[in-house]
Each structure stands twice: as structure tokens, then as C-alpha cells.
Amino acid sequence: METARWIRHATMDDFDAIMSVYAYARKKMAETGNPRQWGDKYPLPERIQADIEGGHTLLLVDDAAALADPPEDPNYPEPELDEHRGEHERIIGVFAIFHDEDPDYKVIDGEWLDDQPYTTIHRVASSGLGRHAAHDLLSWSMRHFENVRADTGMKNYAMQHILETHGFTKCGNIVMPQNKDIDQVRLAYQRHDVTDGTTCGPKDTARQLLSV
């Protein structure tokens, strides 16, 4: 089925297409009152290249490019990891995922749910070719990783809504000081699913972790 979606790792063959997705995302941010989260350059080409070469960049894709009128909101099974490249592939969304401690998360004006090892999601973007890209990427992440952190801009109300409707807790603010051309203060989010299927919250985290 051409409209079925899957997730695969990006390669350098995808570099130009990924750059276009991020350019589209920056344009949409600016149009919706959030021009300084990514500015007009972020993420920089060298950052994208490093993400790809490090195996961090994942693409949400379908095989509908040959359809005369691809549906914007098709029905499809939950996307899973599948490393094949479609014959008529389209990139629906992109994000980068990391399993090491994020240095920008060491200091928070607030409190993380816990200090357990975590996975971080960065640079989520939609190409505009289909709906629910962020939903698919977040849902896939939560199916495969128990403890996930993310951040977004103070004015990125769409991403805040998506994170919160996917069970993420707003934990406070963090600062990303390495780029002076964009807003440096970000809202920090975390979701930690413990082994009994429940989700840790800011008041019951310790109790739930002890019950694992």
C-alpha cells in the first residue's frame, strides 16, 4: 500500500531532502508566530550531517510519490522501523534521537521526573506532505523507549500540545546557549513509562519507581 508509513535511518543520500524539510518547518514556525525557535538557519548543515553520520536521524516515509493525488490523511498501520527505501518514497517527517546524556539538560529551572537513563528527541519536523508526522514519530518513540525527554520553543504551541497529549510532563525550562541567533530558553518535557504500564508524574515518580 503506497500510503503505508514506515521509519528508516537517514543516509547522506537524504541530506538535500532533509534540508528542504527543515526549511519548510522554519517557514511554518515563522508563519505561526514562532520565528526565533529555529531562526532562518537552524539546524545548520553540519549539525544535520553529524546527526546522519552518527545514525541519529530517522525519517518517517511513505511510497506515495507516484500517486496522482496522494491523500493527506490516509489510514495506515502504526509505522515501525524498516530500513528499505521506497521506489516512490516521500519524506513525511524527520527527527533525531539520542541515548547519551544531553549536556543542555544538566541544568533545569524546574525538576525532571527522575535521574534515570533517558532517550532524547530533537529536531522534529514535518515536510507538510501528510498529517500526523509528529504523532507518528512520538508514538513510535514511546513504543520503543521507556524514558524520553524533549524540549521545544516557548511559542511553539503546536509542539507543546502534541507532547502534552502524548503524556509528556512539562518539567521546567532549559537553556541552549550555543546559538545566539535563536531563542535559547526552551520548555523541557519528559515521559517515563514504568514497567507496569503506568506513567510517572511529578508527584508520584519516586513511589512508582520503587514499585518497579
Side-chain angles (χ1 to χ4, degrees):
M1 183 173 63
E2 295 93 339
T3 55
R5 296 180 179 183
W6 69 96
I7 291 170
R8 67 169 176 84
H9 284 87
T11 73
M12 286 304 296
D13 290 338
D14 302 303
F15 180 83
D16 289 341
I18 293 171
M19 290 283 288
S20 295
V21 172
Y22 283 128
Y24 173 83
R26 289 192 296 268
K27 179 175 179 290
K28 295 302 289 185
M29 284 184 184
E31 290 174 352
T32 54
N34 183 31
R36 282 189 49 81
Q37 181 177 336
W38 283 0
D40 58 4
K41 296 179 181 178
Y42 184 88
L44 297 173
E46 53 267 33
R47 177 70 270 171
I48 297 172
Q49 180 176 347
D51 286 352
I52 294 171
E53 292 178 342
H56 301 294
T57 302
L58 291 166
L59 305 178
L60 175 69
V61 299
D62 68 14
D63 205 28
L67 296 180
D69 187 20
E72 185 180 82
D73 193 11
N75 292 319
Y76 50 87
E78 289 184 331
E80 287 295 350
L81 190 67
D82 183 341
E83 298 294 1
H84 87 278
R85 186 182 294 265
E87 183 178 358
H88 303 292
E89 191 176 272
R90 305 186 306 168
I91 296 177
I92 306 299
V94 57
F95 75 150
I97 198 161
F98 300 84
H99 303 295
D100 297 328
E101 185 175 283
D102 192 314
D104 291 329
Y105 288 2
K106 290 183 177 179
V107 177
I108 182 171
D109 181 8
E111 187 176 6
W112 294 108
L113 298 183
D114 55 65
D115 295 322
Q116 302 298 311
Y118 59 89
T119 294
T120 308
I121 296 172
H122 281 309
R123 293 180 274 287
V124 179
S126 168
S127 68
L129 295 178
R131 298 180 62 188
H132 311 305
H135 163 79
D136 286 346
L137 294 170
L138 284 175
S139 295
W140 178 84
S141 300
M142 297 314 306
R143 290 197 301 274
H144 293 277
F145 308 108
E146 290 183 357
N147 196 4
V148 179
R149 295 183 183 183
D151 64 82
T152 192
M154 304 292 283
K155 294 184 178 181
N156 195 337
Y157 304 117
M159 193 63 187
Q160 292 171 35
H161 174 75
I162 291 167
L163 286 165
E164 290 168 16
T165 56
H166 282 74
F168 282 75
T169 297
K170 188 185 299 183
C171 296
N173 299 338
I174 55 123
V175 177
M176 305 180 72
Q178 64 269 42
N179 192 331
K180 304 298 183 183
D181 297 324
I182 60 177
D183 286 337
Q184 297 176 39
V185 180
R186 303 292 175 88
L187 290 171
Y189 285 86
Q190 184 177 1
R191 173 171 164 168
H192 189 174
D193 293 339
V194 294
T195 54
D196 64 358
T198 58
T199 301
C200 292
K203 294 183 178 180
D204 60 4
T205 301
R207 176 180 58 79
Q208 290 186 359
L209 286 176
L210 287 171
S211 70
V212 174

PDB file of all heavy atoms in Angstrom, residues 81-111:
ATOM      1  N   LEU A  81      10.070   0.490  12.365  1.00  0.00           N
ATOM      2  CA  LEU A  81      11.375   0.616  11.729  1.00  0.00           C
ATOM      3  C   LEU A  81      11.499  -0.409  10.604  1.00  0.00           C
ATOM      4  O   LEU A  81      11.264  -1.599  10.801  1.00  0.00           O
ATOM      5  CB  LEU A  81      12.484   0.411  12.764  1.00  0.00           C
ATOM      6  CG  LEU A  81      13.902   0.750  12.306  1.00  0.00           C
ATOM      7  CD1 LEU A  81      14.039   2.249  12.056  1.00  0.00           C
ATOM      8  CD2 LEU A  81      14.918   0.313  13.369  1.00  0.00           C
ATOM      9  N   ASP A  82      11.856   0.058   9.429  1.00  0.00           N
ATOM     10  CA  ASP A  82      12.026  -0.777   8.250  1.00  0.00           C
ATOM     11  C   ASP A  82      13.024  -0.049   7.358  1.00  0.00           C
ATOM     12  O   ASP A  82      12.730   1.036   6.852  1.00  0.00           O
ATOM     13  CB  ASP A  82      10.687  -0.974   7.541  1.00  0.00           C
ATOM     14  CG  ASP A  82      10.777  -1.895   6.334  1.00  0.00           C
ATOM     15  OD1 ASP A  82      11.896  -2.092   5.818  1.00  0.00           O
ATOM     16  OD2 ASP A  82       9.732  -2.394   5.893  1.00  0.00           O
ATOM     17  N   GLU A  83      14.196  -0.621   7.167  1.00  0.00           N
ATOM     18  CA  GLU A  83      15.285   0.114   6.539  1.00  0.00           C
ATOM     19  C   GLU A  83      15.236   0.125   5.006  1.00  0.00           C
ATOM     20  O   GLU A  83      16.169   0.585   4.366  1.00  0.00           O
ATOM     21  CB  GLU A  83      16.637  -0.439   7.016  1.00  0.00           C
ATOM     22  CG  GLU A  83      16.887  -0.296   8.515  1.00  0.00           C
ATOM     23  CD  GLU A  83      17.020   1.149   8.985  1.00  0.00           C
ATOM     24  OE1 GLU A  83      16.900   2.083   8.161  1.00  0.00           O
ATOM     25  OE2 GLU A  83      17.222   1.370  10.198  1.00  0.00           O
ATOM     26  N   HIS A  84      14.163  -0.372   4.389  1.00  0.00           N
ATOM     27  CA  HIS A  84      14.131  -0.338   2.929  1.00  0.00           C
ATOM     28  C   HIS A  84      13.761   1.065   2.442  1.00  0.00           C
ATOM     29  O   HIS A  84      13.092   1.838   3.144  1.00  0.00           O
ATOM     30  CB  HIS A  84      13.152  -1.388   2.380  1.00  0.00           C
ATOM     31  CG  HIS A  84      11.734  -0.931   2.261  1.00  0.00           C
ATOM     32  ND1 HIS A  84      10.851  -0.929   3.331  1.00  0.00           N
ATOM     33  CD2 HIS A  84      11.038  -0.460   1.192  1.00  0.00           C
ATOM     34  CE1 HIS A  84       9.676  -0.490   2.926  1.00  0.00           C
ATOM     35  NE2 HIS A  84       9.748  -0.190   1.641  1.00  0.00           N
ATOM     36  N   ARG A  85      14.204   1.394   1.250  1.00  0.00           N
ATOM     37  CA  ARG A  85      13.904   2.682   0.625  1.00  0.00           C
ATOM     38  C   ARG A  85      12.837   2.454  -0.447  1.00  0.00           C
ATOM     39  O   ARG A  85      12.993   1.611  -1.332  1.00  0.00           O
ATOM     40  CB  ARG A  85      15.162   3.280  -0.004  1.00  0.00           C
ATOM     41  CG  ARG A  85      14.995   4.696  -0.557  1.00  0.00           C
ATOM     42  CD  ARG A  85      16.289   5.172  -1.194  1.00  0.00           C
ATOM     43  NE  ARG A  85      17.322   5.327  -0.195  1.00  0.00           N
ATOM     44  CZ  ARG A  85      17.616   6.470   0.420  1.00  0.00           C
ATOM     45  NH1 ARG A  85      16.912   7.560   0.139  1.00  0.00           N
ATOM     46  NH2 ARG A  85      18.582   6.541   1.310  1.00  0.00           N
ATOM     47  N   GLY A  86      11.737   3.188  -0.369  1.00  0.00           N
ATOM     48  CA  GLY A  86      10.637   3.003  -1.301  1.00  0.00           C
ATOM     49  C   GLY A  86      10.976   3.462  -2.708  1.00  0.00           C
ATOM     50  O   GLY A  86      11.771   4.389  -2.908  1.00  0.00           O
ATOM     51  N   GLU A  87      10.343   2.817  -3.672  1.00  0.00           N
ATOM     52  CA  GLU A  87      10.582   3.176  -5.073  1.00  0.00           C
ATOM     53  C   GLU A  87      10.062   4.575  -5.376  1.00  0.00           C
ATOM     54  O   GLU A  87      10.629   5.306  -6.198  1.00  0.00           O
ATOM     55  CB  GLU A  87       9.913   2.143  -5.978  1.00  0.00           C
ATOM     56  CG  GLU A  87      10.162   2.366  -7.463  1.00  0.00           C
ATOM     57  CD  GLU A  87       9.520   1.305  -8.333  1.00  0.00           C
ATOM     58  OE1 GLU A  87       8.908   0.367  -7.761  1.00  0.00           O
ATOM     59  OE2 GLU A  87       9.613   1.420  -9.575  1.00  0.00           O
ATOM     60  N   HIS A  88       8.958   4.946  -4.752  1.00  0.00           N
ATOM     61  CA  HIS A  88       8.358   6.273  -4.951  1.00  0.00           C
ATOM     62  C   HIS A  88       8.226   6.964  -3.592  1.00  0.00           C
ATOM     63  O   HIS A  88       7.167   7.472  -3.228  1.00  0.00           O
ATOM     64  CB  HIS A  88       6.995   6.139  -5.620  1.00  0.00           C
ATOM     65  CG  HIS A  88       7.035   5.412  -6.920  1.00  0.00           C
ATOM     66  ND1 HIS A  88       7.638   5.931  -8.051  1.00  0.00           N
ATOM     67  CD2 HIS A  88       6.574   4.174  -7.281  1.00  0.00           C
ATOM     68  CE1 HIS A  88       7.532   5.072  -9.042  1.00  0.00           C
ATOM     69  NE2 HIS A  88       6.897   3.997  -8.606  1.00  0.00           N
ATOM     70  N   GLU A  89       9.306   7.016  -2.884  1.00  0.00           N
ATOM     71  CA  GLU A  89       9.293   7.419  -1.482  1.00  0.00           C
ATOM     72  C   GLU A  89       9.112   8.922  -1.320  1.00  0.00           C
ATOM     73  O   GLU A  89       9.617   9.724  -2.106  1.00  0.00           O
ATOM     74  CB  GLU A  89      10.606   6.987  -0.822  1.00  0.00           C
ATOM     75  CG  GLU A  89      10.619   7.114   0.682  1.00  0.00           C
ATOM     76  CD  GLU A  89      11.910   6.589   1.272  1.00  0.00           C
ATOM     77  OE1 GLU A  89      11.982   5.387   1.545  1.00  0.00           O
ATOM     78  OE2 GLU A  89      12.855   7.389   1.443  1.00  0.00           O
ATOM     79  N   ARG A  90       8.391   9.282  -0.268  1.00  0.00           N
ATOM     80  CA  ARG A  90       8.264  10.666   0.171  1.00  0.00           C
ATOM     81  C   ARG A  90       8.655  10.737   1.645  1.00  0.00           C
ATOM     82  O   ARG A  90       8.299   9.851   2.426  1.00  0.00           O
ATOM     83  CB  ARG A  90       6.829  11.175   0.038  1.00  0.00           C
ATOM     84  CG  ARG A  90       6.193  11.053  -1.311  1.00  0.00           C
ATOM     85  CD  ARG A  90       4.832  11.738  -1.343  1.00  0.00           C
ATOM     86  NE  ARG A  90       3.951  11.262  -0.287  1.00  0.00           N
ATOM     87  CZ  ARG A  90       2.799  11.855   0.056  1.00  0.00           C
ATOM     88  NH1 ARG A  90       2.424  12.961  -0.557  1.00  0.00           N
ATOM     89  NH2 ARG A  90       2.032  11.355   1.015  1.00  0.00           N
ATOM     90  N   ILE A  91       9.342  11.793   2.029  1.00  0.00           N
ATOM     91  CA  ILE A  91       9.626  12.034   3.443  1.00  0.00           C
ATOM     92  C   ILE A  91       8.452  12.803   4.038  1.00  0.00           C
ATOM     93  O   ILE A  91       8.131  13.909   3.598  1.00  0.00           O
ATOM     94  CB  ILE A  91      10.940  12.810   3.622  1.00  0.00           C
ATOM     95  CG1 ILE A  91      12.121  11.982   3.122  1.00  0.00           C
ATOM     96  CG2 ILE A  91      11.130  13.185   5.101  1.00  0.00           C
ATOM     97  CD1 ILE A  91      13.452  12.718   3.190  1.00  0.00           C
ATOM     98  N   ILE A  92       7.814  12.216   5.046  1.00  0.00           N
ATOM     99  CA  ILE A  92       6.694  12.851   5.742  1.00  0.00           C
ATOM    100  C   ILE A  92       7.191  13.617   6.960  1.00  0.00           C
ATOM    101  O   ILE A  92       6.665  14.681   7.307  1.00  0.00           O
ATOM    102  CB  ILE A  92       5.655  11.801   6.169  1.00  0.00           C
ATOM    103  CG1 ILE A  92       5.217  10.957   4.967  1.00  0.00           C
ATOM    104  CG2 ILE A  92       4.458  12.461   6.827  1.00  0.00           C
ATOM    105  CD1 ILE A  92       4.556  11.744   3.864  1.00  0.00           C
ATOM    106  N   GLY A  93       8.199  13.091   7.649  1.00  0.00           N
ATOM    107  CA  GLY A  93       8.724  13.748   8.841  1.00  0.00           C
ATOM    108  C   GLY A  93      10.141  13.308   9.115  1.00  0.00           C
ATOM    109  O   GLY A  93      10.630  12.309   8.555  1.00  0.00           O
ATOM    110  N   VAL A  94      10.805  14.040   9.984  1.00  0.00           N
ATOM    111  CA  VAL A  94      12.193  13.748  10.338  1.00  0.00           C
ATOM    112  C   VAL A  94      12.406  14.101  11.803  1.00  0.00           C
ATOM    113  O   VAL A  94      11.794  15.037  12.324  1.00  0.00           O
ATOM    114  CB  VAL A  94      13.175  14.521   9.420  1.00  0.00           C
ATOM    115  CG1 VAL A  94      12.919  16.012   9.487  1.00  0.00           C
ATOM    116  CG2 VAL A  94      14.633  14.220   9.759  1.00  0.00           C
ATOM    117  N   PHE A  95      13.251  13.339  12.478  1.00  0.00           N
ATOM    118  CA  PHE A  95      13.696  13.723  13.813  1.00  0.00           C
ATOM    119  C   PHE A  95      15.017  13.038  14.107  1.00  0.00           C
ATOM    120  O   PHE A  95      15.472  12.165  13.364  1.00  0.00           O
ATOM    121  CB  PHE A  95      12.647  13.439  14.882  1.00  0.00           C
ATOM    122  CG  PHE A  95      12.469  11.991  15.295  1.00  0.00           C
ATOM    123  CD1 PHE A  95      12.059  11.679  16.590  1.00  0.00           C
ATOM    124  CD2 PHE A  95      12.672  10.948  14.429  1.00  0.00           C
ATOM    125  CE1 PHE A  95      11.866  10.374  16.995  1.00  0.00           C
ATOM    126  CE2 PHE A  95      12.496   9.626  14.824  1.00  0.00           C
ATOM    127  CZ  PHE A  95      12.090   9.344  16.106  1.00  0.00           C
ATOM    128  N   ALA A  96      15.663  13.486  15.173  1.00  0.00           N
ATOM    129  CA  ALA A  96      16.930  12.902  15.611  1.00  0.00           C
ATOM    130  C   ALA A  96      16.748  12.363  17.019  1.00  0.00           C
ATOM    131  O   ALA A  96      16.069  12.981  17.851  1.00  0.00           O
ATOM    132  CB  ALA A  96      18.049  13.946  15.574  1.00  0.00           C
ATOM    133  N   ILE A  97      17.355  11.214  17.274  1.00  0.00           N
ATOM    134  CA  ILE A  97      17.171  10.545  18.559  1.00  0.00           C
ATOM    135  C   ILE A  97      18.535  10.188  19.145  1.00  0.00           C
ATOM    136  O   ILE A  97      19.434   9.758  18.423  1.00  0.00           O
ATOM    137  CB  ILE A  97      16.255   9.310  18.378  1.00  0.00           C
ATOM    138  CG1 ILE A  97      15.678   8.847  19.707  1.00  0.00           C
ATOM    139  CG2 ILE A  97      16.946   8.197  17.605  1.00  0.00           C
ATOM    140  CD1 ILE A  97      14.454   7.971  19.549  1.00  0.00           C
ATOM    141  N   PHE A  98      18.681  10.397  20.447  1.00  0.00           N
ATOM    142  CA  PHE A  98      19.959  10.218  21.129  1.00  0.00           C
ATOM    143  C   PHE A  98      19.747   9.442  22.424  1.00  0.00           C
ATOM    144  O   PHE A  98      18.729   9.610  23.089  1.00  0.00           O
ATOM    145  CB  PHE A  98      20.602  11.573  21.452  1.00  0.00           C
ATOM    146  CG  PHE A  98      20.871  12.419  20.240  1.00  0.00           C
ATOM    147  CD1 PHE A  98      19.865  13.213  19.695  1.00  0.00           C
ATOM    148  CD2 PHE A  98      22.112  12.424  19.644  1.00  0.00           C
ATOM    149  CE1 PHE A  98      20.092  13.980  18.573  1.00  0.00           C
ATOM    150  CE2 PHE A  98      22.358  13.204  18.521  1.00  0.00           C
ATOM    151  CZ  PHE A  98      21.340  13.983  17.981  1.00  0.00           C
ATOM    152  N   HIS A  99      20.733   8.647  22.786  1.00  0.00           N
ATOM    153  CA  HIS A  99      20.640   7.845  24.001  1.00  0.00           C
ATOM    154  C   HIS A  99      21.658   8.259  25.061  1.00  0.00           C
ATOM    155  O   HIS A  99      21.637   7.724  26.167  1.00  0.00           O
ATOM    156  CB  HIS A  99      20.805   6.363  23.662  1.00  0.00           C
ATOM    157  CG  HIS A  99      19.807   5.872  22.650  1.00  0.00           C
ATOM    158  ND1 HIS A  99      18.452   5.835  22.902  1.00  0.00           N
ATOM    159  CD2 HIS A  99      19.972   5.436  21.385  1.00  0.00           C
ATOM    160  CE1 HIS A  99      17.820   5.370  21.832  1.00  0.00           C
ATOM    161  NE2 HIS A  99      18.713   5.134  20.901  1.00  0.00           N
ATOM    162  N   ASP A 100      22.550   9.194  24.724  1.00  0.00           N
ATOM    163  CA  ASP A 100      23.515   9.691  25.704  1.00  0.00           C
ATOM    164  C   ASP A 100      22.909  10.862  26.481  1.00  0.00           C
ATOM    165  O   ASP A 100      21.929  11.481  26.055  1.00  0.00           O
ATOM    166  CB  ASP A 100      24.797  10.152  25.006  1.00  0.00           C
ATOM    167  CG  ASP A 100      25.501   9.015  24.291  1.00  0.00           C
ATOM    168  OD1 ASP A 100      25.403   7.869  24.782  1.00  0.00           O
ATOM    169  OD2 ASP A 100      26.123   9.265  23.244  1.00  0.00           O
ATOM    170  N   GLU A 101      23.508  11.169  27.618  1.00  0.00           N
ATOM    171  CA  GLU A 101      23.053  12.304  28.419  1.00  0.00           C
ATOM    172  C   GLU A 101      23.224  13.593  27.633  1.00  0.00           C
ATOM    173  O   GLU A 101      24.278  13.844  27.040  1.00  0.00           O
ATOM    174  CB  GLU A 101      23.852  12.364  29.725  1.00  0.00           C
ATOM    175  CG  GLU A 101      23.386  13.416  30.688  1.00  0.00           C
ATOM    176  CD  GLU A 101      24.123  13.358  32.011  1.00  0.00           C
ATOM    177  OE1 GLU A 101      23.810  12.474  32.831  1.00  0.00           O
ATOM    178  OE2 GLU A 101      25.036  14.187  32.214  1.00  0.00           O
ATOM    179  N   ASP A 102      22.198  14.404  27.600  1.00  0.00           N
ATOM    180  CA  ASP A 102      22.241  15.677  26.873  1.00  0.00           C
ATOM    181  C   ASP A 102      22.834  16.749  27.775  1.00  0.00           C
ATOM    182  O   ASP A 102      22.276  17.042  28.832  1.00  0.00           O
ATOM    183  CB  ASP A 102      20.826  16.065  26.439  1.00  0.00           C
ATOM    184  CG  ASP A 102      20.819  17.204  25.442  1.00  0.00           C
ATOM    185  OD1 ASP A 102      21.536  18.204  25.668  1.00  0.00           O
ATOM    186  OD2 ASP A 102      20.098  17.103  24.437  1.00  0.00           O
ATOM    187  N   PRO A 103      23.939  17.380  27.372  1.00  0.00           N
ATOM    188  CA  PRO A 103      24.564  18.382  28.246  1.00  0.00           C
ATOM    189  C   PRO A 103      23.664  19.581  28.534  1.00  0.00           C
ATOM    190  O   PRO A 103      23.772  20.194  29.601  1.00  0.00           O
ATOM    191  CB  PRO A 103      25.831  18.794  27.472  1.00  0.00           C
ATOM    192  CG  PRO A 103      25.591  18.354  26.061  1.00  0.00           C
ATOM    193  CD  PRO A 103      24.728  17.152  26.148  1.00  0.00           C
ATOM    194  N   ASP A 104      22.774  19.916  27.605  1.00  0.00           N
ATOM    195  CA  ASP A 104      21.875  21.047  27.827  1.00  0.00           C
ATOM    196  C   ASP A 104      20.791  20.741  28.851  1.00  0.00           C
ATOM    197  O   ASP A 104      20.079  21.644  29.293  1.00  0.00           O
ATOM    198  CB  ASP A 104      21.222  21.467  26.513  1.00  0.00           C
ATOM    199  CG  ASP A 104      22.208  22.090  25.540  1.00  0.00           C
ATOM    200  OD1 ASP A 104      23.167  22.729  26.004  1.00  0.00           O
ATOM    201  OD2 ASP A 104      22.013  21.945  24.320  1.00  0.00           O
ATOM    202  N   TYR A 105      20.646  19.480  29.236  1.00  0.00           N
ATOM    203  CA  TYR A 105      19.611  19.084  30.191  1.00  0.00           C
ATOM    204  C   TYR A 105      20.154  18.944  31.614  1.00  0.00           C
ATOM    205  O   TYR A 105      19.398  18.598  32.526  1.00  0.00           O
ATOM    206  CB  TYR A 105      18.985  17.759  29.765  1.00  0.00           C
ATOM    207  CG  TYR A 105      18.092  17.839  28.542  1.00  0.00           C
ATOM    208  CD1 TYR A 105      17.910  19.031  27.858  1.00  0.00           C
ATOM    209  CD2 TYR A 105      17.429  16.712  28.071  1.00  0.00           C
ATOM    210  CE1 TYR A 105      17.101  19.104  26.741  1.00  0.00           C
ATOM    211  CE2 TYR A 105      16.605  16.768  26.960  1.00  0.00           C
ATOM    212  CZ  TYR A 105      16.442  17.966  26.297  1.00  0.00           C
ATOM    213  OH  TYR A 105      15.621  18.029  25.193  1.00  0.00           O
ATOM    214  N   LYS A 106      21.439  19.205  31.809  1.00  0.00           N
ATOM    215  CA  LYS A 106      22.018  19.057  33.143  1.00  0.00           C
ATOM    216  C   LYS A 106      21.491  20.106  34.109  1.00  0.00           C
ATOM    217  O   LYS A 106      21.361  19.849  35.315  1.00  0.00           O
ATOM    218  CB  LYS A 106      23.545  19.128  33.061  1.00  0.00           C
ATOM    219  CG  LYS A 106      24.178  17.911  32.398  1.00  0.00           C
ATOM    220  CD  LYS A 106      25.690  17.999  32.415  1.00  0.00           C
ATOM    221  CE  LYS A 106      26.320  16.746  31.805  1.00  0.00           C
ATOM    222  NZ  LYS A 106      27.803  16.829  31.798  1.00  0.00           N
ATOM    223  N   VAL A 107      21.209  21.300  33.600  1.00  0.00           N
ATOM    224  CA  VAL A 107      20.687  22.387  34.437  1.00  0.00           C
ATOM    225  C   VAL A 107      19.280  22.706  33.965  1.00  0.00           C
ATOM    226  O   VAL A 107      19.057  22.967  32.776  1.00  0.00           O
ATOM    227  CB  VAL A 107      21.569  23.642  34.350  1.00  0.00           C
ATOM    228  CG1 VAL A 107      20.963  24.770  35.182  1.00  0.00           C
ATOM    229  CG2 VAL A 107      22.986  23.321  34.821  1.00  0.00           C
ATOM    230  N   ILE A 108      18.322  22.676  34.885  1.00  0.00           N
ATOM    231  CA  ILE A 108      16.934  22.953  34.555  1.00  0.00           C
ATOM    232  C   ILE A 108      16.329  23.861  35.612  1.00  0.00           C
ATOM    233  O   ILE A 108      16.587  23.691  36.813  1.00  0.00           O
ATOM    234  CB  ILE A 108      16.118  21.636  34.420  1.00  0.00           C
ATOM    235  CG1 ILE A 108      14.662  21.935  34.021  1.00  0.00           C
ATOM    236  CG2 ILE A 108      16.184  20.815  35.689  1.00  0.00           C
ATOM    237  CD1 ILE A 108      13.857  20.703  33.667  1.00  0.00           C
ATOM    238  N   ASP A 109      15.591  24.851  35.149  1.00  0.00           N
ATOM    239  CA  ASP A 109      14.802  25.690  36.053  1.00  0.00           C
ATOM    240  C   ASP A 109      13.484  24.963  36.254  1.00  0.00           C
ATOM    241  O   ASP A 109      12.498  25.196  35.557  1.00  0.00           O
ATOM    242  CB  ASP A 109      14.579  27.067  35.432  1.00  0.00           C
ATOM    243  CG  ASP A 109      13.792  27.992  36.346  1.00  0.00           C
ATOM    244  OD1 ASP A 109      13.547  27.621  37.513  1.00  0.00           O
ATOM    245  OD2 ASP A 109      13.386  29.084  35.879  1.00  0.00           O
ATOM    246  N   GLY A 110      13.481  24.055  37.197  1.00  0.00           N
ATOM    247  CA  GLY A 110      12.377  23.140  37.421  1.00  0.00           C
ATOM    248  C   GLY A 110      12.938  21.821  37.911  1.00  0.00           C
ATOM    249  O   GLY A 110      13.978  21.797  38.587  1.00  0.00           O
ATOM    250  N   GLU A 111      12.323  20.716  37.531  1.00  0.00           N
ATOM    251  CA  GLU A 111      12.782  19.402  38.001  1.00  0.00           C
ATOM    252  C   GLU A 111      12.341  18.322  37.024  1.00  0.00           C
ATOM    253  O   GLU A 111      11.160  18.229  36.662  1.00  0.00           O
ATOM    254  CB  GLU A 111      12.199  19.104  39.384  1.00  0.00           C
ATOM    255  CG  GLU A 111      12.755  17.843  40.018  1.00  0.00           C
ATOM    256  CD  GLU A 111      12.229  17.632  41.428  1.00  0.00           C
ATOM    257  OE1 GLU A 111      11.337  18.407  41.855  1.00  0.00           O
ATOM    258  OE2 GLU A 111      12.688  16.688  42.093  1.00  0.00           O
TER     259      GLU A 111
END
